Amino acid sequence: MSGNRAAARRKQDVFRWVTIGVCLLFFALPLYGMLEFTTRGPGGTRSAQTWATLLDFGKVSAEYPALKEGFLASVGLAVLTVLIMLVLLVPTMTWVRLRLPGLSRTVEFLCLLPLTVPAIVLVVGLTPVYAWVTYLLGESTLWLSLAYVILVLPYAYRSLDAGLRAIDVKTLAEASRSLGAGWGTVMMRVILPNLRTAVLSASFLSVALVLGEFTIANLFSRKNLQVAMYELGKSDAQISIAVGLAALVFGFLVLFAMSFVGGPRSATAAAPRLRRTRKESP
Amino acid sequence: MTSMTSTDGQGVAVQLTGLRRTYGALNALDHFTLHIAPGELVALLGPSGCGKTTALRCLAGLEDPDSGRIEVGGRDITSVPTSRRDMGMVFQAYSLFPHMTARQNVEFGLQLRKRSTQERRTRAADMLDLVGLSDQADKYAHQMSGGQQQRVALARALAIEPQVLLLDEPLSALDAKVRTQLRDEIRRIQLTVGTTTLFVTHDQEEALAVADRVGVMRAGHLEQLAAPEELYARPTSEFVADFVGLTNRLPGTAVDGHADVLGGRVPLLDGSATSGEVMVLVRPEGIDIAADPAGDATVLSGSFLGAHGRVTAETAGGHHVVVQVPSSAVAAYPPGTRVRLTARGDRALAVRAE
Ligand SMILES: Nc1ncnc2c1ncn2[C@@H]1O[C@H](COP(=O)(O)OP(=O)(O)O)[C@@H](O)[C@H]1O
Ligand SMILES: [Mg+2]
């Protein structure tokens, strides 16, 4: 019996490692290819020249102004998207939970809807809207963040929903109101601190999504990082690929960091609290 | 302790008048009227869904009544928002702020009232001391037991020196032993601070044990409001007699303020049916039992319940009768024993036999 079981487990282990190996290979090979390509020097030698250029912000701005412009735009877009997303979603979702539980299905449906809308459809639909945005607010790549908020909505909604589920929003809000808190205080001092993890993971997901966005920006002829990279690829492939690799690695790091704040340990919100106990009690 | 006794103990009157609250076609509160005297603890008792929570939430301002008036200390607060009503609330469970320690929870209301750090510290320490949790001040909710969390919730509610203390089934999520312990402690603390208190529960034993007066609710209105002994001894309706304590329903004949039942004669309570065939509601302790081979009842079962015991017997008419006996006497009535049952003569309620 036990021998059989051990054999079965060994088989399972082998299968697991093979699967992991294949997946790693699948992901790692292109990355390796990128790294190899960006470190090619003249005459078959290795050179860190491309990477040195990339790390020198002054040089990048001087030699590749489009890249700098795209990079700054993407960072701005990421920040703005996260801000708009949070301001839009956190109070709405909390309020729906507290006062309009009947609407929760509708809100969920609306927030998940963008998953089913292809980027091109979104762009076609948004074009007339953006004509007005440009007319009213002026020409700026940053207004893309309005479209990006729609894009990140499903992911942000999921994260925040999980966070709200983990606490008894209604009871906490009622307890604090009976103690004399107005709605602002309830939000800032009671609900938000308990949603820290959820807010962080919603933000990380949004940042990762915005930094990797190409289609919508390109279709609107706006220059974000990905579009700049794409255009640069036509003239200077090495630097373009290097930026691509750096963006990918950064994206991984963001998601990796997220798995720490949003991991199963702190999903119960116990871990952050424990950490704080240690800090506060001497 | 001194700051506590000197600042509390005010106690204000609460007057709920003609409260109505409907949810669609459902009347959660139907002309609900209740007066609570200063410093009194009134328990609202009733089956699930009868509107107890709704009544408490209306008083807290968490629910707006469709009509009716709420007065606290003579002031009409019907349209005052919750945050300015000064009500200490204890919920069924999970109401502690998870990101704050016990002490921070207790201090929260004082912080909102802009009290000095020094005052907050002292007051929180006093309150935690009052509920017996001084040594748990730096613990988070998830590090405490359910009973401890409820104690902190109570300390937090009392810290703001509320005009009224509201407790909505504060013990129902706890296990039996902690429940009775904390129940008695809530009563002790309430008497110490003297805050007017509304205590909602569906557990009659709990209500009878803690309250000055118990209000039995039914379908959104108050069926009877009386001191525990009175409620038990002199229920004014069948519903109350049934809901509070164990009751035997026995057929009898009413004549002239008395009823003949179980071969005995019992005086009838006000509100009883006064003539003809009736059902008499007799408590288990209102019946005498004696082994008698010529008796017309047969013992079905007996059970020990700690201090006393109960014997269930079947009469010749096929009615099951529960009789309370000293627990040492249960063994004297093994199943099958012929017994004679006699109504002892405590006042009882009689209702029309259907
Ligand atoms: N928000 C609500 N929406 C619809 N019906 C409600 C709501 N709150 C309470 N009710 C209904 O009102 C009645 C009284 O509820 P409640 O006061 O909570 O009863 P209790 O606390 O006595 O169990 C119940 O039938 C309940 O279903
Ligand atoms: Mg209830």
Side-chain angles (χ1 to χ4, degrees):
Chain A
M1 274 298 265
S2 70
N4 265 351
R5 214 174 286 161
R9 194 175 307 136
R10 260 200 305 282
K11 218 167 168 186
Q12 242 177 22
D13 276 352
V14 170
F15 179 73
R16 189 178 300 150
W17 285 113
V18 168
T19 314
I20 291 176
V22 169
C23 288
L24 278 181
L25 216 63
F26 185 78
F27 283 115
L29 266 184
L31 294 181
Y32 172 76
M34 291 168 97
L35 188 64
E36 197 275 339
F37 179 69
T38 53
T39 53
R40 270 184 208 168
T45 56
R46 295 281 107 192
S47 145
Q49 184 57 45
T50 312
W51 288 98
T53 311
L54 201 59
L55 288 177
D56 183 346
F57 194 76
K59 204 164 171 191
V60 172
S61 340
E63 290 180 21
Y64 309 99
L67 194 58
K68 176 193 164 196
E69 188 193 329
F71 174 74
L72 291 180
S74 276
V75 169
L77 279 170
V79 172
L80 207 58
T81 305
V82 165
L83 282 181
I84 299 176
M85 177 274 292
L86 288 179
V87 167
L88 200 67
L89 272 190
V90 177
T92 310
M93 291 177 67
T94 310
W95 196 250
V96 165
R97 247 163 210 272
L98 287 174
R99 282 304 178 84
L100 310 161
L103 274 185
S104 64
R105 287 249 151 260
T106 318
V107 171
E108 177 171 16
F109 176 75
L110 282 178
C111 287
L112 297 186
L113 200 60
L115 278 182
T116 65
V117 181
I120 181 69
V121 175
L122 202 61
V123 168
V124 170
L126 280 175
T127 303
V129 178
Y130 266 92
W132 277 101
V133 169
T134 313
Y135 176 69
L136 291 172
L137 300 172
E139 186 109 357
S140 166
T141 306
L142 286 183
W143 301 133
L144 265 185
S145 54
L146 299 177
Y148 285 176
V149 167
I150 298 176
L151 212 63
V152 303
L153 216 50
Y155 308 96
Y157 175 85
R158 279 281 177 223
S159 304
L160 293 174
D161 190 50
L164 284 167
R165 260 172 225 277
I167 53 174
D168 190 337
V169 182
K170 192 157 182 263
T171 307
L172 293 184
E174 287 176 352
S176 41
R177 277 199 312 149
S178 74
L179 289 169
W183 282 113
T185 312
V186 172
M187 207 60 212
M188 300 308 292
R189 296 204 33 207
V190 177
I191 306 295
L192 267 181
N194 287 299
L195 285 184
R196 230 169 43 126
T197 312
V199 164
L200 273 178
S201 65
S203 307
F204 280 164
L205 274 175
S206 304
V207 168
L209 233 72
V210 171
L211 290 187
E213 211 290 323
F214 170 78
T215 322
I216 294 180
N218 192 41
L219 288 169
F220 272 125
S221 320
R222 294 277 176 238
K223 194 163 285 168
N224 70 1
L225 184 62
Q226 300 292 329
V227 173
M229 254 167 55
Y230 169 72
E231 285 175 356
L232 195 59
K234 295 176 190 161
S235 55
D236 189 336
Q238 255 188 339
I239 197 84
S240 157
I241 299 286
V243 173
L245 183 56
L248 261 178
V249 170
F250 179 73
F252 282 160
L253 286 181
V254 165
L255 294 180
F256 188 64
M258 194 179 102
S259 75
F260 270 96
V261 294
R265 259 183 333 125
S266 56
T268 57
R273 262 181 267 146
L274 282 175
R275 239 174 273 141
R276 194 159 351 152
T277 332
R278 259 180 254 128
K279 220 184 300 161
E280 280 178 5
S281 51
Chain B
M1 287 301 263
T2 45
S3 72
M4 185 192 74
T5 37
S6 63
T7 47
D8 286 10
Q10 70 283 52
V12 294
V14 171
Q15 176 72 51
L16 307 176
T17 313
L19 291 187
R20 270 181 74 93
R21 179 70 168 103
T22 53
Y23 294 109
L26 182 102
N27 282 333
L29 284 183
D30 194 5
H31 288 101
F32 178 83
T33 295
L34 170 67
H35 175 80
I36 311 178
E40 190 181 28
L41 192 160
V42 165
L44 278 185
L45 175 66
S48 176
C50 69
K52 308 180 295 289
T53 297
T54 308
L56 178 133
R57 290 171 61 84
C58 282
L59 179 50
L62 295 170
E63 208 75 65
D64 290 324
D66 301 331
S67 62
R69 207 152 45 114
I70 302 167
E71 282 163 89
V72 172
R75 198 166 70 96
D76 187 337
I77 59 159
T78 314
S79 50
V80 173
T82 305
S83 55
R84 279 190 269 124
R85 281 198 186 187
D86 258 340
M87 305 262 170
M89 279 192 85
V90 178
F91 299 78
Q92 190 169 336
Y94 309 119
S95 73
L96 291 188
F97 307 128
H99 62 299
M100 297 182 192
T101 61
R103 189 211 320 271
Q104 290 167 333
N105 265 283
V106 177
E107 283 184 19
F108 185 78
L110 301 169
Q111 233 167 356
L112 295 176
R113 282 166 178 70
K114 307 262 186 299
R115 300 290 166 76
S116 70
T117 315
Q118 184 53 46
E119 192 184 341
R120 273 181 356 228
R121 280 286 135 106
T122 318
R123 179 86 187 156
D126 282 350
M127 288 299 117
L128 286 170
D129 189 38
L130 184 66
V131 298
L133 283 183
S134 298
D135 52 338
Q136 308 284 320
D138 292 315
K139 292 253 174 90
Y140 290 89
H142 69 105
Q143 299 168 316
M144 289 184 281
S145 70
Q148 289 175 326
Q149 293 185 29
Q150 289 305 75
R151 281 164 199 263
V152 176
L154 182 63
R156 179 178 70 179
L158 287 172
I160 60 171
E161 296 162 42
Q163 301 215 57
V164 184
L165 179 62
L166 304 172
L167 306 112
D168 190 358
E169 314 236 3
L171 307 173
S172 57
L174 307 174
D175 51 47
K177 187 151 177 235
V178 182
R179 195 153 60 211
T180 41
Q181 220 172 42
L182 193 49
R183 174 189 86 191
D184 296 341
E185 202 152 337
I186 286 178
R187 178 55 165 165
R188 170 184 71 78
I189 291 167
Q190 192 269 340
L191 287 173
T192 314
V193 297
T195 309
T196 310
T197 301
L198 185 63
F199 186 110
V200 160
T201 177
H202 64 267
D203 180 336
Q204 45 135 333
E205 189 188 319
E206 205 168 285
L208 297 177
V210 297
D212 291 309
R213 285 189 301 161
V214 177
V216 179
M217 275 188 79
R218 177 194 195 182
H221 69 272
L222 208 53
E223 187 91 356
Q224 184 176 359
L225 176 66
E229 316 79 55
E230 167 147 356
L231 198 67
Y232 190 79
R234 287 189 291 281
T236 53
S237 72
E238 185 183 0
F239 179 82
V240 174
D242 259 345
F243 197 80
V244 179
L246 205 61
T247 296
N248 293 298
R249 305 166 65 88
L250 301 169
T253 316
V255 182
D256 222 13
H258 288 81
D260 292 316
V261 62
L262 272 187
R265 168 163 281 206
V266 297
L268 292 179
L269 290 168
D270 293 344
S272 291
T274 48
S275 64
E277 297 299 303
V278 290
M279 280 289 176
V280 188
L281 309 178
V282 188
R283 300 286 185 198
E285 59 273 25
I287 299 174
D288 285 325
I289 183 169
D292 180 354
D296 67 348
T298 315
V299 172
L300 295 176
S301 63
S303 54
F304 292 100
L305 298 167
H308 55 83
R310 282 195 192 127
V311 173
T312 306
E314 186 175 12
T315 63
H319 289 275
H320 288 192
V321 183
V322 180
V323 183
Q324 182 169 314
V325 297
S327 58
S328 58
V330 175
Y333 306 101
T337 315
R338 301 292 287 178
V339 290
R340 184 162 32 78
L341 302 176
T342 324
R344 194 184 291 149
D346 297 344
R347 277 174 174 274
L349 189 73
V351 296
R352 296 232 157 274
E354 295 103 37

